[in-house]
Amino acid sequence: MKIPQSKIDEISASLDIVDVISAYTPLRKAGRSFMGRCPFHEEKTPSFSVSQEKGVYHCFGCGKSGNMFTFIMDTENVTFFDAVKMLADKANIIIEFENEPYDPDRNKIELYYDINRRAGKYFYDKLMSREGAYAKEYLNERGLKDDTIIKFGLGYSLREKDALYREFENDFTLEDLQAAGLVLAIGAGEIRDRFRGRLMFPIFNESGKVVGFGGRRMYDESTEEAKYVNSPETKIYNKSKTLYGLNFAKQSIKQKGYAILVEGYMDLISLYQNGIENVVASSGTSLTQLHTKILSRYTKEVVVVYDADLAGQNASRRAIELLVENDLNVSVLELPFGDDPDTYIQKNGLDGFEHLLNNRLSIIDYIAERYDAEGKMNSPEGKTEFVREIIGLIAKMRDAIKRDFYIKGIAEKFSVYESIIRKELDSVLKLKSRGLTREVSRETPQEKPKERTYKFSAVELVLIRLLVDSDEKTRERLMNELELDLIKNDTVKKIVNYIMMNIDSPEKLALNQLFNEFQDEEGKSIIGKSLLDENYVMQGGRNRNYMNEANQVLSQLKLTHIRNTIKEIEAKIKSIDSSSPEVLEMLNTQQKLRREQMQIENSMKTL
Ligand SMILES: [Zn+2]
């Protein structure tokens, strides 16, 4: 089935990209565009820019760009087809389908679900087999009942290097098994299972499909390997938006009106087995912006229960900050030092846990207790530091009424004048609105944006820019002079070819449309950089000389091509017998190329 282009255009025209994206990350008008914090990477200061006019977005931090359809594809993990359907719903547009073969991308996604589902079954069978006896015993020793093992689909991966691969190779290609995250190909044709000798925890998405695995090390002699190994991000597994256990917890969260957030798979499973079902964990990564967004679709109340050690305390402070920032009401359940939710509930049972739950701390009391434990609450300096940290936290709340409530609370409880707190808060908020947030609260390391790097040259990007966005004469010259073979990057080649084929239909060259046409990461990245990111294009302002740029691009492409050919010939000469007659011929060609190279280099100087 294919969605007619006219429908896609209709949807683009009736929805505002700023509205679409605002549902995921708040945007603020900044000059001609809108800015916000990027939903695709963790950041404190906004570098995600949305152009309402052009209907596209671009992140200057991680380089992601696209239009409203690719945005939905990436944030909701759906195919283009489904993204169009979702946005059509939003716009109240009904889609009639053309009869055409299935979207291949969609088939792939179904295939990866299938592979992961079958792997889950395979690991479970192994756990129940003789080879899994040791792992099974371990689980039973840790108090897990068979029902629980079945419910969470726990399993075991054999210690051999490619047991799963051999089991699956007749049904799936190596490429697909790799893309699904289960198999690694490590040079020289060596194939290895990603998970070996591990206790396996299937990770489910919101609708209960297996999207990946977490594997816990089972044997001590393999301590050079990480204690936990997780599936990589795949087309169906996005770590920053997958909350472990949410599929099981949804109902209970809604019923109870709040969610319990824990750190580990075992914590969650153990609480669940003991009757606490409204519990979720972040999986394979620390809590992210998107996790909190997803959680807030189910509830506004979150109880944080992290390990009672220093690492746990730091992680919980970071989680609190993120949750508060996203307008959730947060409280903290404190475990006795050295315990984690799993060990605690095993020792004290449901009653013991519920007792702690009923005595959970507000974030203010929790942080006060931390300061107290460090002996800081007795000195005026310590107390000031404490008030500053709390104010930093309050400043992150978007709701003014909530902020007010907290200010009154601290003033009363810690006998500080309300006016002092308000003054301090005002100055933090002012700094924040100027984007200069002083780190009032504890420093949290900012995750570096992960930029995928692809090999394409700046010249190739300028070429795309000029083809789409220059004057008629310049475009004509490029159309006449450009040889596609001079372009090294295949995706750039495809994009340039598409542009050249459609040069007379400007509507097909609109940014919005280009993003529909090239939806893979590399394609989006190239289009975004060449057409939206000023860092990647030659500066010229209003008076830029397009023709001059075009000439430089053409010369540069030829030059690179010649240089590479010369290098190739050199390598070839070295590899064959020097007395061979071919050598002379090659040397001649090289000579000719060198002369051509010089000519171009000279002509470029005069440009
Ligand atoms: Zn980004």
Side-chain angles (χ1 to χ4, degrees):
M1 275 185 293
K2 195 176 170 221
I3 301 169
Q5 180 63 39
S6 59
K7 281 291 161 189
I8 295 170
D9 295 342
E10 193 184 338
I11 297 164
S12 308
S14 42
L15 290 175
D16 177 352
I17 188 165
V18 173
D19 276 348
V20 172
I21 293 179
S22 289
Y24 297 82
T25 187
L27 296 173
R28 206 174 275 174
K29 185 130 181 79
R32 289 170 65 106
S33 56
F34 287 77
M35 292 294 287
R37 279 189 311 202
C38 177
F40 302 112
H41 82 274
E42 291 284 321
E43 61 174 0
K44 295 229 153 182
T45 44
S47 51
F48 186 76
S49 151
V50 180
S51 163
Q52 193 166 34
E53 227 180 308
K54 294 180 183 154
V56 297
Y57 60 88
H58 180 72
C59 174
F60 293 93
C62 67
K64 278 241 179 201
S65 43
N67 60 18
M68 62 174 85
F69 302 107
T70 65
F71 184 86
I72 295 296
M73 286 165 76
D74 284 345
T75 45
E76 298 289 344
N77 252 357
V78 293
T79 58
F80 179 66
F81 185 88
D82 288 332
V84 173
K85 277 202 300 193
M86 284 167 75
L87 289 173
D89 273 352
K90 192 172 160 80
N92 287 321
I93 291 171
I94 296 162
I95 305 178
E96 313 93 42
F97 296 105
E98 286 171 11
N99 270 332
E100 274 201 36
Y102 231 47
D103 180 349
D105 235 24
R106 186 188 173 84
N107 283 338
K108 275 286 183 219
I109 283 178
E110 290 305 329
L111 177 68
Y112 299 150
Y113 280 130
D114 192 38
I115 292 174
N116 275 283
R117 186 183 55 77
R118 288 195 30 195
K121 170 86 172 68
Y122 168 81
F123 292 138
Y124 173 79
D125 288 343
K126 292 297 164 219
L127 180 70
M128 295 305 167
S129 74
R130 189 179 44 79
E131 293 143 299
Y134 176 66
K136 174 78 180 0
E137 205 175 295
Y138 168 87
L139 285 173
N140 291 138
E141 255 167 43
R142 286 196 65 172
L144 288 200
K145 298 181 189 131
D146 286 356
D147 285 355
T148 309
I149 293 173
I150 293 171
K151 169 126 198 163
F152 287 89
L154 305 191
Y156 173 69
S157 55
L158 298 183
R159 302 180 77 178
E160 285 103 281
K161 75 176 171 73
D162 58 357
L164 176 135
Y165 176 66
R166 276 184 284 110
E167 179 83 18
F168 280 48
E169 67 180 330
N170 291 328
D171 296 334
F172 303 104
T173 66
L174 172 61
E175 211 184 15
D176 287 331
L177 290 170
Q178 270 180 285
L182 289 164
V183 165
L184 300 158
I186 20 178
E190 205 193 324
I191 295 165
R192 244 201 250 165
D193 291 351
R194 180 178 298 272
F195 302 100
R196 297 176 313 275
R198 288 175 181 272
L199 193 58
M200 302 300 296
F201 297 87
I203 294 159
F204 302 91
N205 65 11
E206 259 173 277
S207 49
K209 285 184 181 169
V210 181
V211 293
F213 295 88
R216 187 195 188 282
R217 191 179 65 211
M218 262 292 93
Y219 302 96
D220 283 342
E221 69 265 34
S222 46
T223 39
E224 72 278 6
E225 287 179 28
K227 188 170 175 195
Y228 278 95
V229 164
N230 291 291
S231 292
E233 299 239 331
T234 63
K235 279 228 187 280
I236 58 172
Y237 180 33
N238 179 339
K239 294 182 187 183
S240 55
K241 51 167 286 193
T242 306
L243 278 166
Y244 180 68
L246 184 58
N247 58 312
F248 298 119
K250 286 198 273 207
Q251 274 319 88
S252 173
I253 290 174
K254 281 191 178 157
Q255 267 164 23
K256 297 213 166 130
Y258 68 94
I260 294 175
L261 180 67
V262 297
E263 280 181 293
Y265 307 121
M266 277 305 278
D267 293 334
L268 185 140
I269 295 173
S270 186
L271 290 184
Y272 199 96
Q273 175 173 280
N274 283 285
I276 306 275
E277 296 185 354
N278 52 334
V279 50
V280 294
S282 60
S283 82
T285 167
S286 49
L287 195 74
T288 67
Q289 201 76 245
L290 278 173
H291 287 141
T292 64
K293 291 258 154 62
I294 290 163
L295 205 48
S296 68
R297 296 211 305 257
Y298 293 93
T299 182
K300 294 290 168 214
E301 297 277 338
V302 180
V303 182
V304 176
V305 192
Y306 280 10
D307 294 2
D309 55 16
L310 284 178
Q313 283 167 11
N314 286 335
S316 75
R317 245 135 129 164
R318 195 182 123 71
I320 290 169
E321 241 179 70
L322 263 179
L323 292 162
V324 162
E325 250 180 282
N326 288 288
D327 276 342
L328 288 149
N329 299 321
V330 190
S331 51
V332 182
L333 183 153
E334 249 196 329
L335 298 166
F337 200 83
D339 262 327
D340 61 40
D342 175 29
T343 56
Y344 185 84
I345 202 159
Q346 292 217 32
K347 278 186 270 181
N348 304 282
L350 181 60
D351 287 348
F353 193 83
E354 280 187 331
H355 176 75
L356 285 190
L357 204 48
N358 294 331
N359 290 297
R360 60 188 190 252
L361 302 173
S362 73
I363 43 177
I364 293 174
D365 288 338
Y366 170 72
I367 293 170
E369 213 158 87
R370 295 264 60 78
Y371 274 85
D372 215 16
E374 290 165 32
K376 282 182 178 167
M377 284 307 253
N378 303 320
S379 70
E381 292 81 14
K383 212 164 158 186
T384 311
E385 198 190 318
F386 160 73
V387 172
R388 286 246 161 84
E389 176 163 352
I390 296 288
I391 288 168
L393 211 49
I394 295 175
K396 289 185 192 291
M397 299 175 181
R398 297 206 189 110
D399 185 345
I401 298 171
K402 207 153 102 187
R403 286 205 297 255
D404 204 56
F405 172 79
Y406 275 96
I407 290 170
K408 291 212 166 80
I410 319 172
E412 225 165 84
K413 210 161 196 163
F414 302 98
S415 4
V416 188
Y417 285 112
E418 230 182 281
S419 58
I420 295 181
I421 302 174
R422 278 185 202 287
K423 224 171 119 193
E424 180 74 26
L425 179 64
D426 279 347
S427 68
V428 175
L429 288 174
K430 239 176 246 154
L431 283 174
K432 209 175 145 199
S433 70
R434 273 189 274 145
L436 298 165
T437 332
R438 180 165 43 133
E439 272 298 1
V440 176
S441 60
R442 172 165 306 235
E443 267 186 45
T444 45
Q446 187 167 351
E447 271 175 46
K448 281 239 175 72
K450 284 180 230 122
E451 170 150 21
R452 290 283 301 275
T453 43
Y454 299 104
K455 276 201 155 176
F456 43 75
S457 64
V459 181
E460 294 178 342
L461 298 181
V462 177
L463 171 66
I464 294 177
R465 169 90 143 201
L466 288 171
L467 277 170
V468 174
D469 192 13
S470 66
D471 50 52
E472 206 174 314
K473 263 194 168 161
T474 307
R475 290 222 294 266
E476 212 180 276
R477 173 157 170 86
L478 285 170
M479 294 288 289
N480 291 334
E481 295 284 314
L482 184 70
E483 289 165 53
L484 278 180
D485 286 344
L486 297 179
I487 299 170
K488 290 203 77 178
N489 178 294
D490 282 336
T491 308
V492 172
K493 206 182 276 183
K494 275 186 214 147
I495 294 171
V496 168
N497 187 43
Y498 171 86
I499 295 172
M500 290 172 90
M501 301 296 286
N502 293 291
I503 200 89
D504 294 321
S505 335
E507 74 282 357
K508 290 198 166 159
L509 301 186
L511 252 183
N512 209 339
Q513 184 50 36
L514 286 177
F515 280 125
N516 283 340
E517 206 62 42
F518 299 94
Q519 291 166 355
D520 60 301
E521 282 307 315
E522 190 178 12
K524 280 187 298 182
S525 174
I526 289 168
I527 292 168
K529 287 203 167 106
S530 55
L531 296 164
L532 293 166
D533 198 330
E534 296 294 335
N535 293 325
Y536 285 85
V537 293
M538 289 183 199
Q539 309 287 323
R542 248 166 229 286
N543 303 319
R544 53 197 292 183
N545 185 337
Y546 289 125
M547 189 59 90
N548 194 357
E549 279 181 40
N551 287 333
Q552 282 194 46
V553 165
L554 288 168
S555 304
Q556 198 64 58
L557 286 172
K558 271 185 215 152
L559 209 50
T560 312
H561 184 70
I562 290 173
R563 281 182 190 142
N564 288 336
T565 318
I566 292 176
K567 263 188 220 148
E568 277 164 27
I569 296 176
E570 245 157 39
K572 231 182 252 166
I573 292 177
K574 269 184 201 147
S575 72
I576 57 175
D577 185 358
S578 59
S579 61
S580 148
E582 283 172 68
V583 172
L584 195 65
E585 203 179 313
M586 285 186 197
L587 285 171
N588 276 333
T589 319
Q590 234 186 0
Q591 202 63 51
K592 244 172 62 194
L593 287 170
R594 287 228 165 84
R595 269 200 299 274
E596 218 176 310
Q597 179 184 354
M598 284 235 297
Q599 267 171 16
I600 299 175
E601 277 167 354
N602 285 332
S603 73
M604 281 178 83
K605 278 181 205 148
T606 62
L607 276 175

